[in-house]
């Protein structure tokens, strides 16, 4: 409410101004046209409130302020002409006032006017021409006043709610686009947060292999190169084929196997259409956790079982590993937080993340809709 207090102020101050002008004879408030009075009050209150609401903007835009002063001068000229000529519904005054309103609104929302000027012209030009026809060519003043009773002036204000709704819709679209851009930026940041320790550890292992002239070194270099290329280039895409994700996970597993001298059982089943699209780098976080909190915490008999499959509507990624319950887990779970945030941005309500933790076993299931 505090943000929009200027509008409350505008609506509260306009009525005393109206009655003051009526008291000094500058305007005449008709007692038998309450609907017109309400429309005028709301409209003028809105006009008074807008400059106050946009005060900081106007302070930065001096040219805009001068334009507003010019429009106010135009408005005063229109009132003076109307007062001097003393003609009911003076066409000259009416045209000047319409120019004033259009100029005022253009200053406040220029992009909207530029975009919808054809719609505004389509609405108001016929109304203006019809008014001029009635006022100038429908007969004498009495005939016009009789017609006016069936054609009240507030009809010129009726299109305003329509244009206001269109403006609200434009603001809503702008906010949605802003949210989408923010989500894209956040997703881009989240993709870069893949655990870098894996690459550092692999480079250290590669160094050891090259020192001993191991035959494994070229294969390690090739796999690591493929993974880095995939992370940097494919990871920025909105979706990749499951085949690419499977190859990425296989390379990750093979590079990890080189590190371990102990007995480790790793199985990876994938009975699925590998051409299905999927957001990149989702599964790797679950696999990293299985290695970090499972295999690395056990001295022997460590295992990781991975199963990637599908049904009619969903893709399933299941990963199960054992772990040492006595090991103290000091991790703050940034990887899983990262994954959950990405899933909420990418798949909203079209995914499910299930964790099943037992005494020595940890199983996670990621279920993603094919139609997301």
């Amino acid at each position: 409410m505090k943000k929009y207090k200027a509008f409350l102020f505008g609506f509260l101050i306009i009525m005393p101004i109206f009655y003051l002008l009526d008291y000094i004879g500058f305007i005449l408030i008709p007692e038998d046209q309450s609907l017109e009075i309400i429309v005028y009050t709301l409209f003028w209150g809105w006009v008074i409130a807008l400059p106050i609401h946009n005060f900081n903007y106007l302070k930065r835009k001096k040219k805009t302020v001068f334009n507003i002063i010019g429009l106010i001068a135009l408005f005063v000229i229109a009132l003076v002409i109307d007062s001097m000529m003393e003609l009911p519904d003076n066409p000259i005054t009416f045209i000047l006032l319409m120019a004033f309103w259009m100029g005022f609104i253009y200053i406040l929302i220029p992009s909207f006017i530029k975009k919808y000027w054809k719609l505004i012209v389509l609405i108001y030009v016929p109304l203006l021409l019809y008014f001029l026809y009635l006022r100038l060519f429908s007969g004498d003043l009495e005939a016009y006043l009789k017609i006016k009773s069936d054609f009240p002036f507030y009809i010129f204000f009726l299109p305003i709610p329509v244009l206001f709704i269109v403006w609200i819709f434009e603001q809503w679209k702008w906010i949605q686009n802003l949210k989408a851009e923010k989500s894209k930026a956040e997703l881009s940041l989240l993709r870069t947060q893949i655990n870098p320790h894996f690459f550092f550890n692999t480079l250290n292992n590669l160094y050891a292999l090259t020192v001993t002239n191991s035959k494994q070194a070229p294969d390690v270099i090739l796999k690591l190169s493929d993974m880095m290329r995939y992370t940097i280039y494919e990871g920025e895409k909105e979706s990749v084929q499951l085949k690419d994700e499977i190859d990425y996970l296989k390379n990750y597993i093979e590079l990890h196997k080189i590190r371990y001298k102990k007995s480790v059982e790793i199985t990876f089943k994938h009975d699925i259409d590998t051409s299905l699209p999927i957001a990149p780098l989702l599964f790797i976080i679950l696999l990293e956790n299985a290695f970090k909190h499972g295999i690395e915490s056990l001295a022997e008999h460590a295992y990781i079982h991975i199963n990637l499959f599908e049904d009619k509507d969903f893709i399933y990624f299941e990963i199960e590993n054992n772990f040492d319950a006595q090991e103290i887990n000091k991790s703050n779970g940034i990887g899983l937080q990262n994954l959950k945030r990405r899933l909420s941005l990418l798949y909203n309500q079209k995914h499910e993340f299930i964790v099943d933790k037992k005494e020595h076993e940890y199983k996670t299931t990621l279920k993603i809709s094919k139609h997301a």
Side-chain angles (χ1 to χ4, degrees):
M1 188 65 187
K2 184 178 179 181
K3 183 178 179 182
Y4 298 101
K5 61 183 180 182
F7 291 94
L8 179 61
F9 174 78
F11 295 139
L12 290 177
I13 199 175
I14 191 62
M15 281 307 296
I17 292 175
F18 274 175
Y19 282 110
L20 177 62
L21 294 175
D22 179 64
Y23 178 77
I24 64 177
F26 198 74
I27 64 172
L28 177 65
I29 299 179
E31 296 181 358
D32 58 343
Q33 297 183 18
S34 56
L35 182 58
E36 284 193 28
I37 294 173
I38 292 173
V39 172
Y40 288 143
T41 301
L42 292 175
F43 196 75
W44 277 101
W46 179 73
V47 170
I48 290 175
L50 275 177
I52 301 172
H53 182 69
N54 294 283
F55 176 74
N56 291 328
Y57 168 79
L58 295 175
K59 189 166 63 173
R60 297 192 305 268
K61 302 288 185 178
K62 294 183 179 180
K63 183 179 178 180
T64 303
V65 174
F66 288 128
N67 289 336
I68 291 176
I69 294 173
L71 286 173
I72 293 174
L74 177 64
F75 177 73
V76 172
I77 291 170
L79 291 182
V80 170
I81 291 175
D82 189 64
S83 178
M84 291 177 61
M85 297 182 70
E86 296 183 352
L87 289 175
D89 298 338
N90 188 332
I92 298 176
T93 304
F94 197 83
I95 293 171
L96 290 176
L97 287 178
M98 284 200 69
F100 165 77
W101 289 123
M102 291 301 173
F104 198 82
I105 295 172
Y106 178 79
I107 288 175
L108 293 174
I109 45 176
S111 59
F112 179 80
I113 299 298
K114 288 178 182 177
K115 185 172 183 179
Y116 290 101
W117 70 270
K118 292 181 180 178
L119 175 63
I120 295 169
V121 168
L122 183 64
I123 292 173
Y124 278 102
V125 167
L127 286 174
L128 178 60
L129 292 176
Y130 186 52
F131 162 73
L132 293 176
Y133 168 76
L134 292 177
R135 183 63 184 87
L136 301 175
F137 305 106
S138 61
D140 58 14
L141 182 59
E142 291 184 4
Y144 164 73
L145 292 176
K146 184 177 180 181
I147 295 172
K148 180 186 173 182
S149 62
D150 300 323
F151 184 75
F153 274 136
Y154 63 76
I155 196 170
F156 283 90
F157 295 96
L158 293 181
I160 291 175
V162 176
L163 295 174
F164 184 72
I165 290 172
V166 173
W167 180 77
I168 291 292
F169 177 70
E170 285 289 316
Q171 301 307 301
W172 177 83
K173 282 203 308 182
W174 176 76
I175 290 172
Q176 294 303 116
N177 290 335
L178 192 64
K179 287 181 179 179
E181 290 299 320
K182 183 185 176 202
S183 295
K184 287 181 181 179
E186 189 171 355
L187 278 172
S188 180
L189 177 62
L190 290 172
R191 290 190 186 108
T192 65
Q193 292 176 353
I194 305 301
N195 191 349
H197 297 294
F198 163 73
F199 290 106
F200 291 133
N201 289 335
T202 303
L203 287 172
N204 287 332
N205 293 331
L206 178 59
Y207 174 75
L209 291 173
T210 55
V211 168
T212 59
N213 293 320
S214 171
K215 294 181 179 180
Q216 289 180 299
D219 190 42
V220 170
I221 293 172
L222 183 61
K223 291 182 183 300
L224 183 62
S225 174
D226 287 341
M227 290 194 67
M228 293 183 73
R229 184 182 301 109
Y230 185 86
T231 302
I232 294 170
Y233 296 108
E234 302 302 312
E236 289 300 313
K237 295 181 179 179
E238 291 186 5
S239 65
V240 295
Q241 289 188 342
L242 270 174
K243 175 184 180 300
D244 299 324
E245 278 290 296
I246 291 171
D247 291 340
Y248 183 77
L249 296 176
K250 285 181 177 179
N251 282 340
Y252 183 88
I253 292 169
E254 291 301 318
L255 288 174
H256 259 295
K257 283 182 178 179
I258 297 172
R259 296 178 55 203
Y260 300 120
K261 306 300 180 183
K262 57 189 177 183
S263 174
V264 176
E265 178 191 347
I266 302 176
T267 62
F268 186 10
K269 298 178 182 178
H270 41 87
D271 182 15
I272 194 169
D273 179 4
T274 57
S275 65
L276 287 172
I278 191 77
L281 304 175
L282 292 177
F283 304 143
I284 187 63
I285 295 175
L286 298 178
L287 185 54
E288 281 183 343
N289 276 355
F291 274 102
K292 182 177 179 181
H293 303 298
I295 288 179
E296 293 184 8
S297 70
L298 293 166
E300 57 183 6
H301 305 303
Y303 69 82
I304 296 178
H305 297 158
I306 309 165
N307 191 13
L308 179 61
F309 61 97
E310 66 178 309
D311 63 16
K312 182 180 178 182
D313 298 311
F314 291 94
I315 296 170
Y316 297 84
F317 182 79
E318 294 180 347
I319 182 165
E320 182 178 356
N321 63 275
N322 56 347
F323 64 95
D324 186 353
Q326 295 180 351
E327 286 287 328
I328 300 175
N329 182 8
K330 296 181 180 180
S331 171
N332 56 8
I334 292 177
L336 286 181
Q337 293 175 18
N338 180 319
L339 176 62
K340 290 176 182 178
R341 180 59 180 157
R342 285 189 64 201
L343 288 169
S344 68
L345 289 171
L346 290 167
Y347 295 104
N348 198 9
Q349 301 299 320
K350 296 183 178 181
H351 78 281
E352 191 173 353
F353 184 67
I354 304 167
V355 176
D356 183 16
K357 186 177 181 180
K358 299 179 181 178
E359 185 178 357
H360 296 285
E361 293 180 345
Y362 191 88
K363 181 179 179 181
T364 55
T365 303
L366 178 55
K367 178 181 174 183
I368 298 175
S369 173
K370 291 180 178 179
H371 313 293

